[in-house]
Amino acid sequence: TQLLEQSPQFLSIQEGENLTVYCNSSSVFSSLQWYRQEPGEGPVLLVTVVTGGEVKKLKRLTFQFGDARKDSSLHITAAQPGDTGLYLCAGGKMNYGGSQGNLIFGKGTKLSVKP
Amino acid sequence: NAGVTQTPKFRILKIGQSMTLQCAQDMNHNYMYWYRQDPGMGLKLIYYSVGAGITDKGEVPNGYNVSRSTTEDFPLRLELAAPSQTSVYFCASSYSTGVAYNSPLHFGNGTRLTVT
């Protein structure tokens, strides 16, 4: 059972275009994190959202947490080739993978921005 | 800062062989994790540890073992390698529980394992 659905799975766009990546679930999460992963490297945290309806901006990236804390979106304005990578969302879920609770990762969106 | 260091970067095993994937962190983090990443499948939690001497199973622990004798090191052991264990393995650490909003995961650069 995939608790976190990311869409689209693949996205290829031209430099300067805008895009939105979605992370959806039927479950409520205590927090939602977005990571970016480049080939041959581990994921690196971009942002954490905690409060329902929260919006955070990181330069050209805008992150939103759904009001019910079940979904999130990442919007990139004027994409650049440096934005190329795998974008992963991860939800904090108690009782997942042990009583401590752990992060559940989506399958990721592979973004390619062509010059 | 080194952060999370994983060795080796690549390894090819024959079916039935065993090996240990090494992971070390220098951030004095209590929590450490092992994930596997298969193409198009995201990251799956194998095992995690909340401190030296304490380990617990994640979502996909079968075929693996871990130990945590020090805060810094968290090795992952494969006893009888199988083709289904072909994957990229990531070790990560965090200051507190991964569900805490202020405790992001810090990942190593992975070990790419092929079992043939």
Side-chain angles (χ1 to χ4, degrees):
Chain A
T1 304
Q2 185 65 29
L3 292 181
L4 267 177
E5 298 284 347
Q6 282 191 246
S7 62
Q9 189 175 358
F10 299 97
L11 193 53
S12 181
I13 61 172
Q14 292 295 130
E15 182 176 2
E17 292 183 12
N18 301 332
L19 67 115
T20 302
V21 174
Y22 300 94
C23 178
N24 295 308
S25 177
S26 58
S27 298
V28 176
F29 293 100
S30 58
S31 64
L32 202 295
Q33 300 178 9
W34 284 92
Y35 290 80
R36 180 167 68 205
Q37 183 179 17
E38 299 190 20
E41 298 183 5
V44 176
L45 180 74
L46 294 173
V47 78
T48 301
V49 285
V50 180
T51 307
E54 183 176 4
V55 176
K56 280 191 174 179
K57 293 196 174 188
L58 186 65
K59 297 183 181 177
R60 294 176 293 100
L61 280 60
T62 301
F63 304 85
Q64 185 163 7
F65 202 11
D67 291 341
R69 291 187 290 132
K70 293 182 178 181
D71 54 82
S72 181
S73 64
L74 158 60
H75 182 79
I76 301 179
T77 303
Q80 298 177 0
D83 295 326
T84 294
L86 179 68
Y87 288 81
L88 295 159
C89 65
K93 190 77 174 169
M94 295 304 295
N95 297 317
Y96 165 70
S99 60
Q100 283 274 341
N102 279 291
L103 290 176
I104 298 174
F105 281 84
K107 293 182 179 181
T109 292
K110 194 168 185 178
L111 172 65
S112 175
V113 182
K114 302 185 188 309
Chain B
N1 290 337
V4 178
T5 303
Q6 290 185 241
T7 56
K9 288 187 182 296
F10 304 94
R11 184 72 186 268
I12 298 175
L13 283 181
K14 294 188 183 304
I15 295 172
Q17 287 185 322
S18 61
M19 77 163 293
T20 299
L21 282 67
Q22 301 293 342
C23 175
Q25 53 95 5
D26 62 358
M27 296 173 282
N28 203 32
H29 284 168
N30 288 321
Y31 288 69
M32 295 188 75
Y33 314 81
W34 275 104
Y35 286 88
R36 60 177 289 171
Q37 185 176 39
D38 301 310
M41 294 301 294
L43 290 158
K44 299 289 187 183
L45 182 64
I46 305 171
Y47 270 95
Y48 70 100
S49 169
V50 303
I54 306 171
T55 63
D56 204 352
K57 296 178 180 179
E59 184 181 356
V60 290
N62 292 343
Y64 307 94
N65 278 301
V66 293
S67 59
R68 183 96 182 269
S69 57
T70 67
T71 299
E72 294 78 19
D73 300 299
F74 190 40
L76 177 71
R77 179 84 176 162
L78 283 70
E79 291 293 349
L80 292 170
S84 61
Q85 294 178 305
T86 293
S87 187
V88 181
Y89 291 85
F90 287 97
C91 178
S93 72
S94 63
Y95 173 73
S96 180
T97 170
V99 301
Y101 73 94
N102 59 349
S103 184
L105 268 60
H106 297 260
F107 286 86
N109 284 332
T111 294
R112 185 176 295 272
L113 175 67
T114 302
V115 182
T116 61

